[in-house]
Amino acid sequence: MATTDAGLWCVVPAAGRGARVGSAVPKQYLPIAGKPLLLHTLGRLAAHPCIAGLMVVLAAEDALWPGLHEIAGKPILTATGGAERADSVLAGLRALRGKVEDSQFTLVHDAARPCIHAADISRLIEQGIRAGGALLAAPVRDTLKRADTQGRVAATEPREARWRALTPQLFRCGELIAALESARAAGIAVTDEAMAMEHMGHKPLLVEGSEDTIKVTTSADFALAEFLLARMD
Ligand code: CTP
Ligand code: MG
């Protein structure tokens, strides 16, 4: 298929502040094993043979971006993000116009997920192109409780058929732009790309990804990410 022959571009939203880590330096620039988190993520994405280039979305006030133009031989472009993750992803996709046709598939992967397995990316691309759009996800394994306002259990929720949405997510560039624009116009806060596509009536395919595709969210996650990265190829 032409899309995979030419390779796919990946939008990498990296314009957040990392408020839950609570450091003055945004979490994507904090080190893991001596290297900024963001560079781990970009390096692992660029090393994948199906990825043609990376569109890194940075905060307008970002003074820490090292100005990279390529990594592992793959081009890196940058765009300026917005207030919410969805705004940043939309800005990155729009900046790809001219480079990526509307009908071509594009990946979106959180900068905050450095522990991404090449095999998961490969499976997502292979199954996702056939399905017309897909996301990596992991089935919920713990028993789910709904809390009341006192922090007591109000109910036990069924766990069957519940999945945690991960990234990368894979959609046709034009369809995803239209879906994110439509969600924005309707005032719907979408927290991932699939949610925007769902609002347009699409049914993205859930592709099971590795449990260790963690999103580095709190300071404790750095030690876990370092441990996981040391075990990866
Ligand atoms: N992100 C972004 N633009 C935003 C908000 C988030 O590009 N306006 C990016 C983050 O940089 C991160 C990814 O989206 O790579 C997932 O978001 P999250 O883990 O929530 O990161 P932050 O928003 O930075 O963290 P927090 O919510 O704790 O502030
Ligand atoms: Mg956030």
Side-chain angles (χ1 to χ4, degrees), residues 12-21 27-28 57 81-89 109-113 215-217:
V12 184
R17 293 193 350 266
R20 285 169 285 182
V21 171
K27 66 181 176 185
Q28 55 272 28
V57 189
E84 301 298 329
R85 180 184 176 282
D87 302 319
S88 299
V89 172
H109 181 68
D110 288 329
R113 296 184 193 269
K215 189 171 72 164
V216 174
T217 304

Side-chain angles (χ1 to χ4, degrees), residues 35-60:
K35 185 163 102 176
L37 190 167
L38 178 58
L39 296 190
H40 283 281
T41 307
L42 298 182
R44 295 196 66 82
L45 290 170
H48 195 284
C50 294
I51 291 184
L54 304 173
M55 173 61 75
V56 185
V57 189
L58 303 169

Side-chain angles (χ1 to χ4, degrees), residues 10-218:
C10 182
V11 172
V12 184
R17 293 193 350 266
R20 285 169 285 182
V21 171
S23 156
V25 174
K27 66 181 176 185
Q28 55 272 28
Y29 291 113
L30 292 175
I32 296 176
K35 185 163 102 176
L37 190 167
L38 178 58
L39 296 190
H40 283 281
T41 307
L42 298 182
R44 295 196 66 82
L45 290 170
H48 195 284
C50 294
I51 291 184
L54 304 173
M55 173 61 75
V56 185
V57 189
L58 303 169
E61 66 278 11
D62 189 327
L64 298 170
W65 169 246
L68 293 175
H69 295 293
E70 63 103 22
I71 191 164
K74 307 285 176 72
I76 297 185
L77 301 177
T78 59
T80 302
E84 301 298 329
R85 180 184 176 282
D87 302 319
S88 299
V89 172
L90 182 55
L93 291 166
R94 282 177 173 161
L96 274 180
R97 278 201 158 134
K99 200 156 270 304
V100 174
E101 302 282 318
D102 274 359
S103 61
Q104 282 182 299
F105 284 92
T106 308
L107 293 158
V108 177
H109 181 68
D110 288 329
R113 296 184 193 269
C115 311
I116 177 69
H117 292 267
D120 281 354
I121 299 175
S122 301
R123 252 193 359 276
L124 175 72
I125 293 172
E126 193 187 311
Q127 297 182 23
I129 287 177
R130 261 189 279 132
L135 66 153
L136 279 188
V140 170
R141 304 216 188 276
D142 300 306
T143 299
L144 285 178
K145 304 293 186 191
R146 180 190 296 277
D148 67 14
T149 50
Q150 271 75 50
R152 290 181 179 271
V153 175
T156 297
E157 302 279 357
R159 169 179 61 195
E160 289 68 37
R162 300 284 199 279
W163 292 67
R164 295 185 296 118
L166 311 172
T167 72
Q169 302 202 2
L170 175 87
F171 296 104
R172 289 187 197 278
C173 190
E175 285 181 351
L176 184 53
I177 289 174
L180 290 167
E181 285 175 344
S182 166
R184 178 189 280 181
I188 300 163
V190 292
T191 49
D192 73 344
E193 290 63 61
M195 188 177 169
M197 297 296 287
E198 291 156 41
H199 276 285
M200 301 293 276
H202 293 269
K203 294 184 116 193
L205 181 71
L206 292 156
V207 176
E208 186 164 352
S210 169
E211 285 282 326
D212 55 19
T213 309
I214 60 161
K215 189 171 72 164
V216 174
T217 304
T218 67

